[in-house]
Amino acid sequence: MASRKICLALGFLAFLWAEFGAQNQEEELQCRLMGKFNLTGYVDAKNHSLIIAGLFPIHSRTIPVDESILEPVSPICEGFNFRGFRWMKTMIHTIKEINERKDILPNHTLGYQIFDSCYTITKAMESALVFLTGQEEFKPNFRNSTGSILAALVGSGGSSLSVAASRILGLYYLPQVGYTSSCSILSDKFQFPSYLRVIPSDKIQSEAMVNLIKHFGWVWVGAIAADDDYGKYGVKTFKEEMETANLCVAFSETIPKVYSNEKMKKAVDAVKGSTARVVVLFTSDIDLSPFVLEMIHHNITDRTWIASEAWITSALIAKPEYFPYFGGSIGFAVPRAVIPGLKEFLYDIHPSKDPNDVLTIEFWQTAFNCTWPNSSVPYNVDHRVNMTGKEDRLYDMSDQLCTGEERLEDLKNTYLDISQLRITNNVKQAVYAIAYALDRLSRCQEGRGPYSPNNTCAYIPTFELWQLMYYMKEISFEMHDGKRMVLDENGDVFNGHYDILNWQLDDNGEISFVPVGKFNFKSTTKFELIIPNNSSIFWNTESSKLPHSVCTDVCPPGTRKGVRQGQPICCFDCIPCADGYVSEKPGQRECDPCGEDDWSNAQKNKCVPKEVEFLAYEEALGFTLVILSIFGALVVLAVIVVYVIHRHTPLVKANDRELSFLIQMSLVITLLSSMLFIGKPLNWSCMARQTTLALGFCLCLSSILGKTISLFFAYRISVSKTRLTSMHPVIRKLIVLTCVLGEIGVCSAYLVLEPPRVYKNIEPQNVKIIFECNEGSIEFLCSIFGFDVLLALLCFLTTFVARQLPDNYYEGKCITFGMLVFFIVWISFVPAYLSTKGKFKVAVEIFAILASSYGLLGCIFLPKCFIILLRPKRNTEETVGGRIPTVDRSIQLTSASVSSELNNTAVSTVLDD
């Protein structure tokens, strides 16, 4: 037992020794703060159960740190920002308003801890760390650095600041509600799980800008952005929307956060050298201020600026002296609101109320251009880089002391201007969003809570941050102005609108923000741009009219866009449309082809019906051919009349007068058939023209063949030593009948099997529609006219052989010449026909018909008519059938004498009917 007690005592001593050593080692390794962040702001945490943090850009920059100091130094802020100071005061006013209400957090009150972000990332990061851990204790006191529980943060007053702070606060899931950070990347819940905002995302604002640009017909727009997350992501989204809308960004430059003469010169030169007369400025008013001075320094006017919500209503930029350069700016602003009681709260400020309130003292000194007595707060400290690139260090302490009697009513600055409470109203909404979420959390009933397991609730002040985020994501509440605030799953504003403002000068010479329209959005895809009256907008151009901002003017109708290699699609050449293509609307990418029955007009901006071409009766050529056809037919009829009147004369009776009448009738048919080729082709005329012509020539040539065969036999009888039998007249009629019936059979088969049809000849790039006949079967057509050619060839051969037959009047030679004319005409016709098109092709064929018909008429009948009418004494039996004295009578015999010697009936057979 004793040994057991000794063992226990030794063990206890060993345990105490180990614990004592561990404590000493922990105390030796403990981290201690070597300094404090240089932060200014306001804290009211006593007697409050919850704290809401705030980050506001009360200053616009920090004083550059001496680079020779090796240890980390927290920089000092400079450049008092009245606008940011008003935002901060609005948060305090809203928290006091909520604490006075009985319907929100009735059993709890809210305190605040607010720091100045100085509009720099470093200060935002310092403030975020202090919010989480504080900087008073050796050990971090998470969420309890003021003595009360930190619930959420309002801020940080700029997209880059919110991105930086949220990367730290998001690790602990601390709710952060932005009031002016619109950068689209903050919608990414994977990177920023606890960030929410009461201002629309820049994705919606970029869509609004593109809709505005399209509304005014601009296609060539420049872009200037701040060199931070707000500017870079804003312009990136804007470019994507512009590309989707087939619009072009002429240039894209950045304004440096820290003045750089080289970068600023590049941005100025881009604006100065570009043909774009419209420029989008995606930047805050603080970052834009140096760029505005550069525009004034270079006297760049005649530009229209599209403003983002971050500077459209900023008094820092909207100064009357800037109006010649930035007047007429048009941009988007969050909705304006009236906040009851805010004006009185803003006026309730004086340095004497709290000697330690350095921000109020600095506000007073800056606003009234004086120095507060016994104060170490510097006046108008400015370390900005000037326009030449050299650094100015100014510590201008005013010689005039502040009396404390200065009147705020006499001031004209942004702090007291409550006419454009837009971002200020967002601050109020952000505070109320947190308050309503906490109120819902506090009203949870056990067993009906949203948390697993068992539907538990969270309680103030012991709740976890993720438990409050549950309520923040489903926030929906009605503001004092009756408008409802709803956030979607990404913590973005679900619906709302932008006011479209235009900078104009009022009667007092001050810049006023005139509403000229609205941009409504109900989601990220449903948008509506409303600009009821363009004439109400002031344009700061030389003509005071809507600016014209294009790389290349819209191609007029009749031309198309031609791409310029290596250049944006908005820069192009206007290329005239090809024949048969048109562009009826301005700016078409491609010319549209006309229909097969249409053609482009001379301006290539409209399709007009094609000119219909055919050999018409009304035109000179058609009328001339009709006259020639009718005249030829009348001549043939006159010949027929002569033949009928003198039908009993020897000359008419010679060599079968019935065949002569058939030839005359066929010539009438062929001459009149040429009229079927004139006029607009129809199916019946196409079928009739070729068959009528073929039958007419067949009748003519077969009748001539009957005559030539008779002459051929007469010649053979005259030269033969043996007695030959002459051809009976019936045989000649049978030859004609056989040939004509054969031609009729082929023509009938042609018309039944593959008849000709009307054909609209619409060749590519042809300005005319040529109405012509599609001849159907070429084989049938060749057969028909091939038979006529065969008859013509037989006629020629037989007459050529019998051309020496002696007669005082012998028609063998006349027929020979007639057939020569026939062949010459049609041989010449073939190449001429194949080398022409349209109506001239038809005219060539008609000319060939008329020429061959006139040739046959003139060679065969005109000599006989000449004798019948003008030399009737030669029209006797003796002259026609008598002998002609010759040197060799044995050879040169008339056909009558030859027939007499052979056969008394031969004369009548050869010569007479």
Side-chain angles (χ1 to χ4, degrees):
M1 179 65 73
S3 60
R4 184 178 179 182
K5 289 182 179 180
I6 292 173
C7 289
L8 289 172
L10 291 175
F12 180 74
L13 290 174
F15 173 78
L16 291 177
W17 178 259
E19 285 293 311
F20 180 77
Q23 288 180 3
N24 287 342
Q25 185 178 5
E26 183 180 353
E27 189 172 357
E28 290 176 0
L29 298 177
Q30 186 179 41
C31 294
R32 297 176 180 271
L33 296 174
M34 299 180 65
K36 292 185 178 181
F37 295 132
N38 186 7
L39 300 175
T40 56
Y42 295 94
V43 179
D44 181 14
K46 294 182 179 179
N47 302 321
H48 296 294
S49 52
L50 294 171
I51 299 297
I52 298 179
L55 267 178
F56 296 93
I58 302 174
H59 290 85
S60 58
R61 55 191 171 272
T62 58
I63 299 174
V65 179
D66 189 352
E67 296 180 357
S68 62
I69 301 176
L70 299 180
E71 296 180 359
V73 177
S74 180
I76 300 174
C77 300
E78 66 173 358
F80 196 84
N81 182 14
F82 291 104
R83 196 182 187 198
F85 192 61
R86 184 183 68 203
W87 294 346
M88 180 271 299
K89 284 288 188 178
T90 302
M91 177 177 173
I92 296 175
H93 172 262
T94 304
I95 289 177
K96 289 184 177 181
E97 180 183 288
I98 292 171
N99 288 335
E100 292 173 359
R101 294 179 60 167
K102 301 301 181 181
D103 57 334
I104 303 177
L105 296 172
N107 300 321
H108 304 278
T109 58
L110 300 176
Y112 54 84
Q113 183 180 16
I114 302 173
F115 288 132
D116 178 14
S117 68
C118 300
Y119 203 66
T120 57
I121 293 178
T122 55
K123 285 297 177 184
M125 295 289 284
E126 291 175 3
S127 301
L129 292 172
V130 171
F131 286 141
L132 289 173
T133 64
Q135 54 180 351
E136 299 295 336
E137 298 85 5
F138 293 130
K139 292 183 179 181
N141 190 1
F142 180 64
R143 292 179 57 205
N144 197 19
S145 60
T146 61
S148 299
I149 298 297
L150 177 66
L153 167 70
V154 174
S156 299
S159 293
S160 294
L161 311 184
S162 294
V163 167
S166 185
R167 293 195 185 278
I168 295 176
L169 302 177
L171 297 174
Y172 301 93
Y173 225 55
L174 178 70
Q176 179 183 355
V177 183
Y179 54 88
T180 188
S181 302
S182 56
C183 182
S184 58
I185 194 178
L186 288 167
S187 299
D188 185 356
K189 296 301 103 178
F190 181 78
Q191 298 187 60
F192 310 100
S194 62
Y195 186 84
L196 308 97
R197 53 186 164 190
V198 293
I199 187 172
S201 168
D202 282 337
K203 182 173 178 59
I204 296 177
Q205 184 171 202
S206 296
E207 182 72 31
M209 288 180 172
V210 172
N211 274 265
L212 183 75
I213 291 169
K214 290 168 61 178
H215 174 79
F216 291 117
W218 302 322
V219 297
W220 187 239
V221 179
I224 299 290
D227 192 14
D228 56 12
D229 290 325
Y230 174 70
K232 290 179 179 178
Y233 282 102
V235 166
K236 177 179 178 292
T237 306
F238 172 72
K239 286 181 179 179
E240 292 172 353
E241 296 293 339
M242 288 283 284
E243 184 177 354
T244 303
N246 291 324
L247 303 176
C248 300
V249 177
F251 59 87
S252 179
E253 299 294 339
T254 57
I255 300 174
K257 298 285 287 186
V258 178
Y259 190 90
S260 168
N261 190 47
E262 180 182 354
K263 292 182 180 179
M264 190 64 77
K265 183 177 183 301
K266 187 178 179 182
V268 172
D269 290 344
V271 176
K272 197 173 183 180
S274 176
T275 57
R277 289 295 177 264
V278 178
V279 183
V280 171
L281 284 175
F282 240 115
T283 175
S284 67
D285 55 347
I286 295 173
D287 292 330
L288 182 60
S289 184
F291 180 76
V292 170
L293 297 178
E294 288 282 8
M295 293 292 103
I296 297 172
H297 177 72
H298 289 84
N299 194 28
I300 298 177
T301 58
D302 197 26
R303 299 294 189 280
T304 297
W305 308 94
I306 299 180
S308 65
E309 37 72 35
W311 68 273
I312 183 63
T313 58
S314 170
L316 181 64
I317 307 299
K319 298 179 180 180
E321 57 267 29
Y322 296 167
F323 191 80
Y325 308 92
F326 283 81
S329 294
I330 187 168
F332 301 88
V334 295
R336 177 177 172 270
V338 176
I339 301 178
L342 180 62
K343 180 179 180 180
E344 294 75 14
F345 184 79
L346 294 178
Y347 274 88
D348 186 20
I349 183 175
H350 201 278
S352 61
K353 291 185 177 182
D354 186 357
N356 296 322
D357 187 354
V358 296
L359 292 178
T360 300
I361 294 174
E362 186 175 359
F363 161 78
W364 202 269
Q365 290 182 157
T366 306
F368 293 106
N369 193 20
C370 61
T371 302
W372 188 257
N374 303 322
S375 173
S376 61
V377 178
Y379 164 76
N380 196 22
V381 181
D382 195 344
H383 289 77
R384 284 182 295 179
V385 178
N386 63 17
M387 303 303 291
T388 62
K390 297 180 180 179
E391 184 178 339
D392 292 335
R393 291 182 177 272
L394 304 175
Y395 295 86
D396 297 333
M397 302 299 292
S398 176
D399 295 334
Q400 180 182 357
L401 293 178
C402 300
T403 63
E405 301 298 326
E406 292 83 6
R407 290 170 49 86
L408 290 173
E409 291 80 0
D410 298 333
L411 288 178
K412 290 185 179 180
N413 62 21
T414 311
Y415 173 73
L416 297 173
D417 183 8
I418 60 172
S419 63
Q420 298 292 329
L421 298 182
R422 300 177 186 276
I423 301 299
T424 304
N425 187 53
N426 283 357
V427 174
K428 184 180 182 71
Q429 290 178 334
V431 176
Y432 263 99
I434 297 172
Y436 275 109
L438 289 169
D439 182 67
R440 290 186 59 196
L441 183 146
S442 67
R443 298 177 186 274
C444 177
Q445 297 181 7
E446 193 63 36
R448 298 182 180 180
Y451 313 116
S452 298
N454 301 325
N455 296 327
T456 58
C457 292
Y459 301 97
I460 296 176
T462 59
F463 65 89
E464 298 291 336
L465 293 175
W466 64 268
Q467 293 174 321
L468 177 60
M469 274 300 298
Y470 172 83
Y471 292 99
M472 293 293 295
K473 287 183 176 180
E474 295 184 351
I475 196 67
S476 175
F477 61 93
E478 188 174 300
M479 287 297 297
H480 64 280
D481 55 1
K483 296 180 180 178
R484 177 159 291 275
M485 175 61 62
V486 181
L487 302 183
D488 63 13
E489 64 275 6
N490 293 323
D492 290 328
V493 176
F494 184 74
N495 59 4
H497 74 273
Y498 282 109
D499 289 333
I500 302 176
L501 305 181
N502 179 230
W503 284 17
Q504 302 181 16
L505 278 180
D506 59 17
D507 297 335
N508 299 322
E510 299 292 330
I511 293 180
S512 60
F513 310 116
V514 180
V516 294
K518 282 186 178 183
F519 183 79
N520 298 321
F521 57 92
K522 296 182 179 180
S523 65
T524 57
T525 56
K526 296 180 180 180
F527 308 109
E528 182 185 19
L529 180 71
I530 302 174
I531 301 179
N533 187 8
N534 289 346
S535 61
S536 64
I537 301 175
F538 170 75
W539 301 110
N540 192 24
T541 58
E542 294 180 359
S543 62
S544 298
K545 295 181 179 179
L546 177 70
H548 187 61
S549 186
V550 297
C551 179
T552 305
D553 285 326
V554 177
C555 290
T559 61
R560 65 175 179 86
K561 291 182 179 180
V563 178
R564 293 181 184 174
Q565 293 297 329
Q567 295 193 24
I569 61 173
C570 297
C571 301
F572 47 81
D573 297 314
C574 294
I575 302 174
C577 294
D579 291 338
Y581 289 80
V582 297
S583 59
E584 298 182 355
K585 299 178 181 178
Q588 286 192 204
R589 287 180 172 271
E590 298 293 339
C591 297
D592 301 320
C594 293
E596 65 176 18
D597 292 341
D598 296 326
W599 195 252
S600 55
N601 58 0
Q603 294 76 25
K604 306 296 176 61
N605 61 0
K606 187 178 181 181
C607 288
V608 295
K610 285 184 177 181
E611 178 184 349
V612 177
E613 180 178 288
F614 57 87
L615 188 59
Y617 292 101
E618 296 81 9
E619 59 181 302
L621 180 59
F623 183 75
T624 302
L625 293 174
V626 169
I627 295 299
L628 291 175
S629 177
I630 295 175
F631 176 75
L634 292 175
V635 171
V636 176
L637 291 176
V639 171
I640 294 175
V641 171
V642 172
Y643 265 57
V644 170
I645 294 173
H646 301 86
R647 61 185 180 277
H648 299 296
T649 62
L651 193 60
V652 174
K653 293 168 62 178
N655 203 13
D656 206 328
R657 86 183 147 192
E658 285 82 3
L659 291 182
S660 297
F661 283 117
L662 289 176
I663 295 173
Q664 292 163 5
M665 290 176 58
S666 65
L667 289 177
V668 173
I669 293 173
T670 55
L671 286 167
L672 294 180
S673 68
S674 62
M675 297 179 63
L676 296 173
F677 290 82
I678 304 174
K680 185 177 180 180
L682 300 172
N683 285 333
W684 71 266
S685 63
C686 288
M687 297 171 66
R689 60 171 61 172
Q690 299 293 359
T691 54
T692 303
L693 177 63
L695 289 172
F697 274 127
C698 180
L699 179 60
C700 178
L701 294 172
S702 61
S703 299
I704 293 174
L705 181 62
K707 282 177 171 287
T708 58
I709 290 178
S710 298
L711 295 174
F712 176 76
F713 272 91
Y715 173 75
R716 293 297 298 169
I717 291 171
S718 66
V719 298
S720 177
K721 294 182 178 180
T722 60
R723 295 181 61 88
L724 296 175
T725 304
S726 62
M727 180 179 292
H728 195 276
V730 176
I731 298 176
R732 296 197 291 268
K733 275 67 172 184
L734 288 175
I735 292 174
V736 174
L737 182 60
T738 303
C739 293
V740 172
L741 289 177
E743 187 79 343
I744 291 174
V746 177
C747 290
S748 300
Y750 174 40
L751 295 178
V752 171
L753 298 178
E754 293 188 57
R757 288 289 184 267
V758 176
Y759 169 63
K760 290 195 299 184
N761 188 353
I762 306 174
E763 298 181 359
Q765 303 301 319
N766 194 348
V767 71
K768 299 178 180 179
I769 298 177
I770 302 174
F771 274 90
E772 56 188 22
C773 291
N774 182 357
E775 304 300 347
S777 173
I778 301 298
E779 293 78 6
F780 271 114
L781 193 65
C782 292
S783 301
I784 292 171
F785 286 99
F787 184 70
D788 290 340
V789 171
L790 177 62
L791 292 177
L793 185 60
L794 291 175
C795 291
F796 176 75
L797 292 176
T798 54
T799 55
F800 182 79
V801 172
R803 70 187 184 281
Q804 297 296 330
L805 185 65
D807 266 337
N808 287 340
Y809 183 78
Y810 170 46
E811 64 179 350
K813 293 180 180 180
C814 296
I815 294 176
T816 302
F817 282 113
M819 298 313 300
L820 283 175
V821 172
F822 185 86
F823 277 114
I824 291 172
V825 169
W826 286 101
I827 290 173
S828 303
F829 159 77
V830 173
Y833 183 81
L834 296 177
S835 61
T836 55
K837 294 182 178 180
K839 62 182 180 181
F840 298 103
K841 191 173 186 179
V842 178
V844 168
E845 187 171 0
I846 295 174
F847 178 79
I849 296 170
L850 295 177
S852 58
S853 298
Y854 272 103
L856 292 174
L857 175 64
C859 292
I860 297 176
F861 295 105
L862 287 186
K864 289 186 177 182
C865 290
F866 175 79
I867 294 174
I868 293 171
L869 297 176
L870 300 179
R871 298 289 187 270
K873 293 180 179 181
R874 297 178 57 183
N875 189 9
T876 62
E877 292 285 348
E878 292 77 11
T879 304
V880 174
R883 296 178 179 269
I884 300 175
T886 59
V887 177
D888 189 354
R889 293 180 181 271
S890 63
I891 298 175
Q892 296 182 348
L893 299 175
T894 65
S895 52
S897 62
V898 171
S899 299
S900 298
E901 293 177 359
L902 295 177
N903 193 317
N904 290 330
T905 61
V907 175
S908 63
T909 303
V910 176
L911 295 177
D912 300 331
D913 293 340

